[in-house]
Amino acid sequence: MQLLNGPKSVFYEPNFITEEEERRLVDCVYAAPKPKWQQLSNRRLQNWGGLPHPKGMVAEPIPEWLMHYVQKVSSLDLFGDKKPNHVLVNEYLPGQGIMPHTDGPLFHPVITTISLGSHTVLNFHEEQDLENIVGENTSPNQMKQRKKIMSVLLEPRSLLVVKDDLYQNHLHSIEELKCDEISESIINPGTFKVGELLERKTRISLTIRHVPKTSKATIFLSKKF
């Protein structure tokens, strides 16, 4: 994995999975039972492995089609002596995004995200009054006050790793855009040039992480549906 030209707590692998794996994963996401989808105002999502909660996550089996990638990420030894036990699946349509926020203390301070179907640009914001901005409860006025410190281009089939200080002390967001312009704030433009425009398509993200507080030990059983 490549350590990006930014804080020493962000890593990026542009071709973590193949196009065939990407197609299979997208098919499995959309084959999931309808009750697995939770509709939010700006996107919809699925939780696999359980529903994180301050009182503890009731661990549930992770299906085989996801478990392979949980194990693949786990083999990178990114979580220390922990093992990932939760996958958050987000669907972003063109024009959808997420407000500046932190993921908070429910999770081990390492996030790994596989992107499917489309690129996006993930922004990181300055450290400031984070104790009141856990989750997505930041007001639009608060959002505008959060200075952007850098951005990362997330290409389809890539793996992003965010950990330590960048996870714990900085906000991250995705702007609600249908097209992204490559700017000088993007620390991994790759072959793209400043000023180049990239049109978004439907993107699915698989965020694989560890929830320390769980209520039973049968986390790593897997099943088909």
Side-chain angles (χ1 to χ4, degrees):
M1 271 186 303
Q2 177 187 4
L3 174 63
L4 295 183
N5 185 26
K8 294 182 179 180
S9 48
V10 56
F11 297 81
Y12 182 74
E13 181 65 44
N15 291 291
F16 185 67
I17 62 171
T18 66
E19 291 185 15
E20 181 180 352
E21 288 178 299
E22 178 184 38
R23 286 192 293 269
R24 185 165 61 248
L25 280 167
V26 170
D27 288 344
C28 287
V29 167
Y30 286 119
K34 289 184 178 179
K36 286 298 297 183
W37 286 105
Q38 178 184 352
Q39 183 67 54
L40 304 183
S41 60
N42 56 348
R43 69 191 189 285
R44 60 177 182 161
L45 56 83
Q46 301 173 9
N47 278 283
W48 294 99
L51 187 63
H53 190 275
K55 294 183 178 180
M57 180 178 76
V58 178
E60 299 174 353
I62 295 175
E64 290 180 2
W65 59 272
L66 273 178
M67 198 63 192
H68 173 76
Y69 297 95
V70 170
Q71 293 169 340
K72 185 174 181 178
V73 167
S74 182
S75 71
L76 300 175
D77 294 326
L78 299 168
F79 295 83
D81 61 349
K82 313 294 183 184
K83 291 187 179 295
N85 58 5
H86 180 262
V87 184
L88 178 66
V89 177
N90 277 300
E91 179 197 57
Y92 293 94
L93 302 179
Q96 293 183 335
I98 187 168
M99 294 165 57
H101 68 287
T102 66
D103 287 7
L106 292 182
F107 307 100
H108 184 69
V110 177
I111 289 181
T112 62
T113 300
I114 301 172
S115 293
L116 310 172
S118 177
H119 82 282
T120 198
V121 173
L122 183 66
N123 302 311
F124 290 92
H125 304 262
E126 64 185 352
E127 177 181 359
Q128 185 177 338
D129 300 329
L130 296 186
E131 59 272 10
N132 296 319
I133 315 174
V134 173
E136 298 175 49
N137 298 320
T138 318
S139 71
N141 288 335
Q142 285 178 304
M143 285 172 54
K144 294 177 182 178
Q145 297 171 6
R146 304 297 164 186
K147 181 180 178 181
K148 184 169 64 177
I149 60 170
M150 69 175 191
S151 301
V152 178
L153 175 64
L154 305 184
E155 298 169 283
R157 301 177 295 281
S158 67
L159 174 71
L160 175 76
V161 179
V162 176
K163 56 186 295 189
D164 302 332
D165 178 70
L166 196 60
Y167 172 87
Q168 294 175 311
N169 298 322
H170 292 81
L171 308 171
H172 57 275
S173 70
I174 296 173
E175 292 185 71
E176 295 182 336
L177 301 172
K178 293 186 177 180
C179 187
D180 292 292
E181 180 177 353
I182 300 297
S183 68
E184 293 181 352
S185 68
I186 294 176
I187 61 176
N188 63 326
T191 59
F192 298 107
K193 297 180 180 179
V194 172
E196 194 166 348
L197 300 177
L198 301 180
E199 185 177 351
R200 289 188 194 176
K201 300 176 182 178
T202 297
R203 173 177 173 264
I204 294 171
S205 64
L206 310 179
T207 298
I208 299 170
R209 50 196 175 180
H210 174 77
V211 178
K213 191 174 182 180
T214 58
S215 61
K216 62 181 181 180
T218 56
I219 293 169
F220 294 104
L221 296 178
S222 59
K223 67 177 182 179
K224 294 181 179 179
F225 58 78

